[in-house]
Amino acid sequence: MKSLRTIPITLCMAMIMLLLASCGKTVKCESVDIVPRPLSVEMQEGTYKLRLAKDECVCKALDNIPVTDDKTLGNEAYTLTITKQGIAIAASTPAGAFYARQSLRQMIPAEALTDKKVTAVVLPCCIIKDAPHFAYRGAHLDVCRHFFSVDEVKTYLDILAMHKINRFHFHLTEDQGWRIEIKHYPQLTQVGAYRDGTMVGKNWNSDDGVRYGGFYTQDEVKEIVKYAADHFITVIPEIEIPGHALAALASYPELGCRGDHYEVSKTWGVFPEVFCPGKEDTFKFWETVLTEVMELFPSKYIHIGGDECPKDEWKKCPLCQKRIKEEGLKNEAELQSYVNRRIEKFLNAHGRQIIGWDEILEGGVTPTATIMSWRGTTGGIAAAQAGNHVIMTPNTFCYLDYYQSRDQDNEPLAIGGYLPVEQCYNFDPYNGLTKDQQQYILGVQGNVWTEYIATFDHVEYMLLPRISALAEVGWSYDGTKDYAGFLRRLNHLRTYFDAYGWNYGKHVFPSEE
Ligand code: ACM
Ligand code: ZN
């Protein structure tokens, strides 16, 4: 039996042991370097020591910061105040509070993420007032040319969240693969999700002969949508109508003008085989697919594609020509507009709105269609002049599948072009628009097309840090540019890329050799 006197001694020793074990390392935030740049940062006297409980990840410490409801702040806005007494967040929405935490996260040295001994962070007292300029701050991922796992998509979303990007444009259907399970049309994924080979490099005349593919089940889609929502990101699905349809036509050949002999494409490019809008069954297909899509994605916007739809087959198809005649349409461009109008009406009846690539302007658009301007800004400018909403994603500033260096011999193969970080940073979405027209610009988006991007490591390399520059255009736009300041802050942001193990282009960073 233990004597009464030994108990306090044992306790004492345990306490000393605990104390020694908890004597962790303290790191210091040296300067407030945040990407995207906040509206204002006012430095104050003094510091505050934020303790990270043992075994607690930094995110948990951030979740414990108290939030005050401040209705004077706009949607997504926040104030982050650090005093000698503590840290406080004010916001009018959970999104605003989330963005305050993202800013605070960038003030905690990345070392705290990787070094388990770090148990406290010394933060400078300051007041950060912040709000985004654009409501739509997007990033796109093509999961069709190459397929990426649910976990990889979640990592993509992690990267977006850190940059306060709030829209994920999920490009789900293509000539080279259909990637979303549709219960009414099982062949879309049994047949359309796989191709019998992939062209190698830029050799258009042969392929590797290796069966390639994959798709997301509806449960996996729900998991992605939920993960995104938890990070205040809305997932906007894109279902390509009426072009880029080979995978769908290989699954259901009767939906094409020719009606047979389609194959999921092994090469990239634009193909003449598109959906036949002369057939009512094609509309039934689109409406059924979109009904299932709407059940999975709560997004107000559904992207209906509309890009790169050759009209050759429609010109030869008796059913398409009959439709043109019966509907009093002038030509095949107007036939595509007819498709868009019908699909838009269907989606509107379900409380949704359409986004289409700028080609949908060609045969005329309804005033309620939102235009995604990709062939430069010309389409976006024309749309804004006409009073249509616009998302700016011009290839000249926002196509992250382009080379990011002139030294192409030392770069992984890319689709072409040249888009360095500075060019992304210098994008002005309002260029060429009057004050009045600027109100139609909803925001900015970076696009990652994956013809030449086969691995997620490579996706990260193309995305980072160019998306950091576009995130700043979307969040911090005020008509001024300070590239040197951005690079300084980016040099700090990259420490988190390293800590999280995200791959990134290092072209703009000083050499460490
Ligand atoms: C596109 O790049 N075809 C929208
Ligand atoms: Zn047809």
Side-chain angles (χ1 to χ4, degrees):
M1 210 178 106
K2 282 178 182 161
S3 84
L4 282 176
R5 287 190 56 203
T6 60
I7 292 169
I9 291 169
T10 319
L11 252 175
C12 253
M13 281 178 68
M15 279 170 71
I16 290 166
M17 298 276 284
L18 212 73
L19 214 70
L20 283 173
S22 64
C23 260
K25 204 162 137 189
T26 296
V27 290
K28 191 164 185 251
C29 165
E30 299 292 350
S31 61
V32 182
D33 282 333
I34 294 167
V35 178
R37 179 174 50 79
L39 212 51
S40 72
V41 178
E42 193 187 308
M43 300 310 294
Q44 313 256 293
E45 275 296 305
T47 59
Y48 173 71
K49 195 169 187 174
L50 173 68
R51 290 189 192 282
L52 311 171
K54 254 187 97 50
D55 295 329
E56 184 187 58
C57 79
V58 170
C59 309
K60 263 198 213 148
L62 300 185
D63 284 347
N64 291 336
I65 308 291
V67 180
T68 336
D69 186 20
D70 182 345
K71 289 288 179 232
T72 64
L73 294 174
N75 186 27
E76 299 187 312
Y78 69 88
T79 305
L80 175 65
T81 309
I82 303 176
T83 65
K84 288 175 193 163
Q85 284 73 42
I87 306 175
I89 291 169
S92 67
T93 62
F98 179 79
Y99 294 136
R101 285 189 208 104
Q102 295 313 307
S103 290
L104 184 55
R105 183 174 162 202
Q106 290 188 31
M107 291 173 67
I108 298 172
E111 196 185 341
L113 296 169
T114 47
D115 185 348
K116 289 270 179 282
K117 289 197 205 82
V118 174
T119 52
V121 181
V122 174
L123 298 164
C125 292
C126 62
I127 303 169
I128 299 177
K129 292 186 178 161
D130 205 2
H133 181 84
F134 288 105
Y136 186 115
R137 306 176 302 279
H140 147 291
L141 182 63
D142 168 11
V143 294
C144 301
R145 273 54 177 263
H146 285 98
F147 180 68
F148 302 98
S149 70
V150 172
D151 279 347
E152 287 167 337
V153 172
K154 284 183 181 174
T155 300
Y156 197 87
L157 293 166
D158 289 341
I159 294 172
L160 305 195
M162 178 158 222
H163 289 87
K164 303 187 175 92
I165 287 173
N166 64 356
R167 300 286 183 273
F168 172 48
H169 174 168
F170 204 10
H171 185 80
L172 287 164
T173 73
E174 261 303 337
D175 299 296
Q176 296 82 7
W178 182 284
R179 303 281 176 234
I180 178 171
E181 178 190 23
I182 300 294
K183 306 267 190 201
H184 276 83
Y185 292 96
Q187 278 160 225
L188 286 172
T189 41
Q190 285 162 6
V191 176
Y194 300 91
R195 58 181 182 251
D196 286 334
T198 302
M199 66 183 270
V200 179
K202 298 224 169 162
N203 182 354
W204 297 81
N205 301 316
S206 73
D207 62 79
D208 61 10
V210 179
R211 192 162 160 81
Y212 180 93
F215 66 93
Y216 307 101
T217 63
Q218 293 206 348
D219 280 344
E220 286 173 330
V221 169
K222 284 180 198 155
E223 190 182 330
I224 289 169
V225 169
K226 161 88 171 62
Y227 190 86
D230 289 346
H231 293 76
F232 296 88
I233 297 169
T234 303
V235 185
I236 299 178
E238 181 184 356
I239 304 297
E240 280 271 16
I241 297 173
H244 287 291
L246 268 175
L249 297 183
S251 314
Y252 295 95
E254 64 274 21
L255 301 177
C257 294
R258 196 172 73 212
D260 57 13
H261 294 102
Y262 302 107
E263 183 183 73
V264 181
S265 183
K266 297 185 243 179
T267 60
W268 321 129
V270 175
F271 300 89
E273 297 91 345
V274 299
F275 285 105
C276 175
K279 298 176 181 172
E280 271 311 291
D281 274 356
T282 307
F283 285 90
K284 188 169 154 245
F285 170 85
W286 285 328
E287 291 183 4
T288 308
V289 167
L290 290 171
T291 300
E292 291 194 29
V293 164
M294 283 189 284
E295 280 161 13
L296 295 168
F297 296 92
S299 164
K300 173 172 95 170
Y301 291 109
I302 306 287
H303 200 307
I304 63 161
D307 59 319
E308 300 176 320
C309 178
K311 312 287 191 290
D312 319 46
E313 293 222 325
W314 295 358
K315 285 192 180 132
K316 291 183 283 184
C317 171
L319 291 176
C320 284
Q321 290 307 312
K322 184 164 169 264
R323 177 82 78 192
I324 287 176
K325 210 163 159 207
E326 281 176 5
E327 296 295 331
L329 307 170
K330 278 207 218 57
N331 51 32
E332 287 73 22
E334 288 201 359
L335 180 56
Q336 184 168 349
S337 293
Y338 166 83
V339 170
N340 296 339
R341 272 199 308 278
R342 267 185 76 168
I343 297 298
E344 183 177 15
K345 205 167 158 196
F346 174 77
L347 289 171
N348 287 168
H350 292 83
R352 309 301 178 100
Q353 293 181 20
I354 63 160
I355 300 176
W357 298 109
D358 58 55
E359 284 93 332
I360 73 167
L361 290 165
E362 286 165 10
V365 285
T366 62
T368 42
T370 295
I371 305 303
M372 198 167 257
S373 188
W374 75 276
R375 296 175 299 177
T377 55
T378 314
I381 290 172
Q385 284 167 348
N388 282 81
H389 282 132
V390 174
I391 296 151
M392 283 293 192
T393 179
N395 51 358
T396 40
F397 293 93
C398 301
Y399 266 41
L400 307 184
D401 56 337
Y402 284 14
Y403 282 103
Q404 46 192 322
S405 161
R406 288 238 186 254
D407 182 13
Q408 296 185 359
D409 293 342
N410 289 307
E411 284 290 318
L413 189 67
I415 200 160
Y418 172 55
L419 180 59
V421 176
E422 187 168 8
Q423 173 94 342
C424 297
Y425 179 82
N426 282 330
F427 181 44
D428 181 345
Y430 290 150
N431 201 16
L433 294 169
T434 64
K435 207 94 218 116
D436 211 36
Q437 291 156 358
Q438 289 174 12
Q439 65 180 301
Y440 295 105
I441 308 299
L442 298 181
V444 185
Q445 177 175 290
N447 291 345
V448 182
W449 298 101
T450 58
E451 285 93 334
Y452 300 94
I453 306 177
T455 65
F456 192 70
D457 195 57
H458 191 184
V459 167
E460 291 175 345
Y461 177 79
M462 301 306 267
L463 185 71
L464 293 167
R466 289 185 289 188
I467 200 66
S468 314
L470 290 176
E472 182 134 327
V473 173
W475 181 280
S476 319
Y477 184 89
D478 66 0
T480 68
K481 297 283 181 190
D482 171 18
Y483 186 57
F486 169 71
L487 283 186
R488 193 198 66 243
R489 287 177 292 105
L490 186 63
N491 202 36
H492 173 66
L493 187 67
R494 72 185 293 210
T495 60
Y496 303 95
F497 301 168
D498 287 327
Y500 289 117
W502 298 337
N503 192 17
Y504 59 97
K506 303 200 171 54
H507 314 80
V508 296
F509 300 114
S511 166
E512 278 149 20
E513 277 134 43

